Amino acid sequence: MKRNHTFSIKYFRNRMLVRVAGCAIGIGISACGGSEQKEIQMTAPEYVFTYAENQAEDYPTTLGAYRFAELVKERTEGRIEILVNAKGILGDERTIIEQLQFGGIDFARVSLSPLSEFVSGLNVLQMPYLYTNSEHMWNVLEGDIGEEFMELMEGSGLVGLSWYDAGVRNFYCTKKPIQKLEDIRGLKIRVQESELMRVMIEVLGGEAVPMVYDEVYSALETGTIDGAENNWPSYESVRHYEVAPYYSVDEHTRVPEMQLMSEYTWKKLSVEDQNIIRECARASALYERELWTQRARASEERVRAAGCIVVEMPTEERLRFREAMMPIYQKYCADYMDVIERIEAEGERMDKEKTKPSYESTILHE
Ligand code: GCU
């Protein structure tokens, strides 16, 4: 939506600034007269944009969205206003992505799982057991590979702005914990609306049930499904732990998230505004990552305190999961094996870096 009115107001230079500015807008310039007045130009929003977010108001990605909107408003001196709609009120992720393509919604933060249905190459970045840890994933996303995948968005009707953190995903069940590969056989496991995620469950021997996020709680409660999988903050925030208290830490995927803009909206903006949008999105992503780390810890503590049974999957069992999931690499990454190799090489480089003796200890041992 584009609005086009500029108006001037008077304001007091001292602490009354905010109150008086409100007064000028509400009842007109003359009513606010007094000493120490100064004439300035205030621009009413030229653009008012919508931002879709499917998490709760206090969730890290939502707080990141608010920070983004705030930064953009500040940098454009109020010319661009972004209204954040949290709690999925604008629809599920697939619908939101379609709306972005049509320009019905201007911004959103979505998980790479549903997004990969629109830009299939992105599947590469959410492959099971691809990253050794969070640092590894962030080195990849913040380096050349992350940049190349942002560019892959071109032609999709979507503009990738920044990467958001969504931690690591684990399985959880209503009746008993998944402790080994065999335990998943025959279980109905909810997956995101993503073919890759459906196939992942199938190769493990489970029955995949694709379903939108906000229907999972009642599906767990009514027994339509036996389990689901998600990160600690989601498991806690949407209270899945109440109905599926057996959480198995197997860390099967790290599914990054992306802040997106409709290409339709993007093209309406000047290059200068486009740059501001990108910079603010990236700044908000750093903030989100900080919040993520804190929230993941707090969520884990909360669900443990609520009495959930948390099972740590031993390394040898994780390796069996990993092994079982390997055929998916051939199916989804055939055109990207070079990228997979680069990602693995980065992981190995980081491992070596970690185990390398420090400068001091090298000296000592010489
Ligand atoms: C995470 C992600 C959501 C997504 C959800 C899901 O919570 O942040 O965007 O909808 O997973 O499992 O569907």
Side-chain angles (χ1 to χ4, degrees):
M1 192 200 318
K2 184 168 180 173
R3 289 191 198 152
N4 239 339
H5 41 271
T6 305
F7 54 89
S8 78
I9 61 160
K10 289 180 178 181
Y11 79 117
F12 294 103
R13 235 180 145 221
N14 56 21
R15 284 163 292 158
M16 305 288 283
L17 177 76
V18 174
R19 224 187 65 199
V20 176
C23 170
I25 292 165
I27 60 171
I29 296 165
S30 57
C32 292
S35 58
E36 281 199 76
Q37 291 175 357
K38 196 180 174 208
E39 189 93 10
I40 57 150
Q41 287 292 314
M42 270 261 302
T43 310
E46 197 179 331
Y47 297 100
V48 178
F49 292 137
T50 45
Y51 187 116
E53 166 57 65
N54 77 347
Q55 300 286 8
E57 292 287 355
D58 67 345
Y59 201 82
T61 54
T62 312
L63 298 173
Y66 282 115
R67 171 61 64 92
F68 169 59
E70 223 175 84
L71 290 172
V72 171
K73 192 170 185 172
E74 260 170 45
R75 291 276 307 274
T76 61
E77 292 168 346
R79 271 188 310 103
I80 300 182
E81 184 158 357
I82 297 168
L83 306 176
V84 177
N85 296 267
K87 297 189 279 188
I89 55 173
L90 295 183
D92 60 79
E93 289 183 297
R94 169 177 276 277
T95 314
I96 295 299
I97 298 168
E98 285 167 357
Q99 285 293 318
L100 285 167
Q101 290 179 317
F102 293 128
I105 290 175
D106 306 295
F107 293 93
R109 184 283 314 160
V110 298
S111 162
L112 235 56
S113 286
L115 186 56
S116 300
E117 295 297 295
F118 294 80
V119 183
S120 62
L122 290 173
N123 273 318
V124 172
L125 298 179
Q126 55 164 352
M127 294 308 289
Y129 294 109
L130 176 62
Y131 310 104
T132 31
N133 52 33
S134 164
E135 275 179 338
H136 180 202
M137 182 184 83
W138 282 110
N139 269 10
V140 169
L141 296 180
E142 286 184 334
D144 293 344
I145 298 177
E147 210 48 55
E148 288 160 28
F149 278 89
M150 279 281 174
E151 284 164 17
L152 198 67
M153 304 299 291
E154 272 169 32
S156 66
L158 307 163
V159 179
L161 298 175
S162 72
W163 301 105
Y164 265 33
D165 204 352
V168 67
R169 293 176 80 103
N170 299 301
F171 288 112
Y172 46 91
C173 290
T174 52
K175 297 200 183 75
K176 54 183 179 93
I178 293 175
Q179 308 196 61
K180 55 184 187 314
L181 189 53
E182 289 68 26
D183 294 342
I184 212 167
R185 294 223 173 112
L187 289 186
K188 290 195 188 107
I189 306 286
R190 176 269 172 173
V191 289
Q192 291 176 272
E193 293 189 290
S194 145
E195 189 196 292
L196 168 70
M197 295 306 160
R198 179 177 59 72
V199 174
M200 179 183 81
I201 298 300
E202 286 169 2
V203 298
L204 294 177
E207 191 184 321
V209 184
M211 187 181 285
V212 300
Y213 188 43
D214 71 354
E215 287 172 7
V216 181
Y217 184 98
S218 67
L220 288 166
E221 193 178 31
T222 56
T224 313
I225 53 174
D226 303 303
E229 46 87 57
N230 221 318
N231 50 55
W232 288 109
S234 298
Y235 179 59
E236 176 259 322
S237 169
V238 284
R239 299 181 293 108
H240 289 176
Y241 68 94
E242 292 176 358
V243 281
Y246 299 96
Y247 196 84
S248 309
V249 184
D250 63 286
E251 307 195 326
H252 56 272
T253 50
R254 285 184 185 273
V255 180
E257 316 208 315
M258 210 191 258
Q259 242 186 341
L260 293 171
M261 184 171 182
S262 161
E263 194 185 349
Y264 182 83
T265 311
W266 176 259
K267 284 186 173 156
K268 288 191 211 165
L269 298 183
S270 64
V271 173
E272 196 195 4
D273 283 346
Q274 290 175 346
N275 289 339
I276 293 178
I277 295 281
R278 245 190 225 293
E279 284 162 21
C280 296
R282 291 189 178 175
S284 78
L286 293 179
Y287 174 65
E288 190 267 349
R289 265 167 71 184
E290 245 180 74
L291 296 179
W292 183 268
T293 312
Q294 293 160 19
R295 177 62 181 259
R297 219 172 288 130
S299 293
E300 180 178 347
E301 275 165 21
R302 260 177 237 166
V303 302
R304 281 184 189 269
C308 286
I309 291 98
V310 179
V311 177
E312 296 284 337
M313 184 96 62
T315 312
E316 50 291 6
E317 205 49 43
R318 290 185 197 199
L319 289 174
R320 292 185 70 220
F321 271 74
R322 189 171 184 274
E323 196 56 37
M325 289 176 183
M326 280 304 120
I328 318 180
Y329 275 73
Q330 273 119 44
K331 187 168 163 61
Y332 292 94
C333 304
D335 296 338
Y336 292 94
M337 285 324 271
D338 57 322
V339 182
I340 297 288
E341 277 164 22
R342 281 162 68 200
I343 295 176
E344 284 171 355
E346 176 61 7
E348 280 160 22
R349 187 198 62 75
M350 290 176 69
D351 280 351
K352 274 199 200 125
E353 196 70 20
K354 239 189 245 157
T355 50
K356 209 159 71 184
S358 69
Y359 178 67
E360 285 82 2
S361 61
T362 314
I363 301 276
L364 280 176
H365 290 95
E366 267 171 5

